Amino acid sequence: MTLLRDRDLAHAFDHASRTYDRLTGLNPGYRADLLRSARRLRLPRDGAGLHLLDLGCGTGASTRALLRAAPRARITAVDASAGMLRRARTKPWPGTVRFLHLSAEQLATSGEGPFDAVFAAYLFRNVSDPDGVLGTVRALLRPGGRLAVHEYSLGGSPAHRALWTAVCQGVIVPAGTLTGDRALYRHLWHSVLDFDSASAFTGRLTRAGFTGARALPLAGWQTGITHTFVAHKGSAAAGEATR
């Protein structure tokens, strides 16, 4: 299957935005896992004085998780899909949160930043140049800045591939077909199979210049399928992220 990329993928998310929250709500632990990943940034003082980036914010579920993990921080949330952003902006937010229509690739020349931490949920499978985006993220982080990536990234066992395919064929793709978004959810299925394993993405983070890169598991049926990747820019003392 040819995966959706760039403008085609943004348009697919635009169309799916009207039912996206409803479908993700069917995933047990979806929002709890986002919150756990956001908390793994281990931001001090509830984020007071910090500027955070939610990269690929979608309809705002990851933004909400980041806000709960750091309620005193200033948050900039960006996404390439105008439709997803419209949904996000309809929700109640404090004045410390703002949304921008930007792709990950456009951030390099946007004038945004620097940031004390970056949270990226379900993003890196969907970009054409993950190494380029990682370079942009690293450049936007202050020294010692922290990164948490929440992503479908299989653990390497054939059982993980089999379980993911079974869930997609039995639940995700049929549900997406009912909403008229079959192409997007087939993309989701195959993008996970084609993406880095957890160990490979950890290595990608290290090659991009991040230090302390680790893959941390998530609980429930997504164990071995979804991971939190934590890393930092700068010294371990300044940027260490832990469980």
Side-chain angles (χ1 to χ4, degrees):
M1 174 188 170
T2 301
L3 298 178
L4 301 173
R5 291 299 184 205
D6 304 323
R7 185 174 299 177
D8 290 337
L9 183 59
H11 287 166
F13 274 116
D14 287 345
H15 187 271
S17 63
R18 57 198 170 84
T19 57
Y20 192 80
D21 286 340
R22 192 185 321 153
L23 289 185
T24 57
L26 298 176
N27 180 350
Y30 181 86
R31 287 168 178 77
D33 284 344
L34 283 171
L35 178 58
R36 183 168 190 182
S37 289
R39 284 176 170 163
R40 283 170 166 171
L41 283 166
R42 296 296 297 270
L43 299 172
R45 305 181 307 278
D46 288 337
L50 302 182
H51 187 192
L52 314 180
L53 174 65
D54 182 15
L55 184 56
C57 65
T59 61
S62 56
T63 315
R64 186 70 65 191
L66 194 55
L67 181 62
R68 289 184 62 190
R72 299 175 66 192
R74 182 163 54 100
I75 299 173
T76 297
V78 306
D79 202 274
S81 165
M84 299 291 267
L85 281 175
R86 279 195 297 272
R87 294 286 171 177
R89 286 169 172 152
T90 64
K91 300 172 183 178
W93 301 100
T96 52
V97 177
R98 65 174 181 145
F99 292 92
L100 298 176
H101 185 202
L102 287 172
S103 69
E105 293 81 0
Q106 289 170 328
L107 269 174
T109 57
S110 68
E112 294 297 320
F115 298 98
D116 298 287
V118 175
F119 187 45
Y122 305 118
L123 172 82
F124 279 95
R125 288 175 299 103
N126 291 324
V127 298
S128 299
D129 181 11
D131 292 326
V133 173
L134 282 172
T136 296
V137 169
R138 189 172 183 277
L140 289 171
L141 279 170
R142 298 183 191 276
R146 309 177 187 195
L147 170 65
V149 175
H150 177 96
E151 187 57 273
Y152 292 120
S153 179
L154 302 180
S157 166
H160 298 151
R161 295 180 68 88
L163 176 58
W164 175 248
T165 291
V167 169
C168 288
Q169 289 181 333
V171 179
I172 294 174
V173 174
T177 301
L178 289 175
T179 64
D181 298 302
R182 179 179 175 84
L184 177 62
Y185 291 100
R186 280 183 58 81
H187 163 87
L188 169 60
W189 171 19
H190 289 281
S191 69
V192 174
L193 296 179
D194 288 355
F195 189 57
D196 293 348
S197 66
S199 61
F201 190 71
T202 303
R204 190 187 291 272
L205 287 167
T206 300
R207 290 192 301 275
F210 290 94
T211 54
R214 292 188 294 151
L216 306 177
L218 289 160
W221 76 269
Q222 293 190 94
T223 301
I225 293 175
T226 310
H227 292 81
T228 316
F229 299 89
V230 292
H232 56 265
K233 173 183 176 178
S235 68
E240 184 177 5
T242 62
R243 291 175 191 269

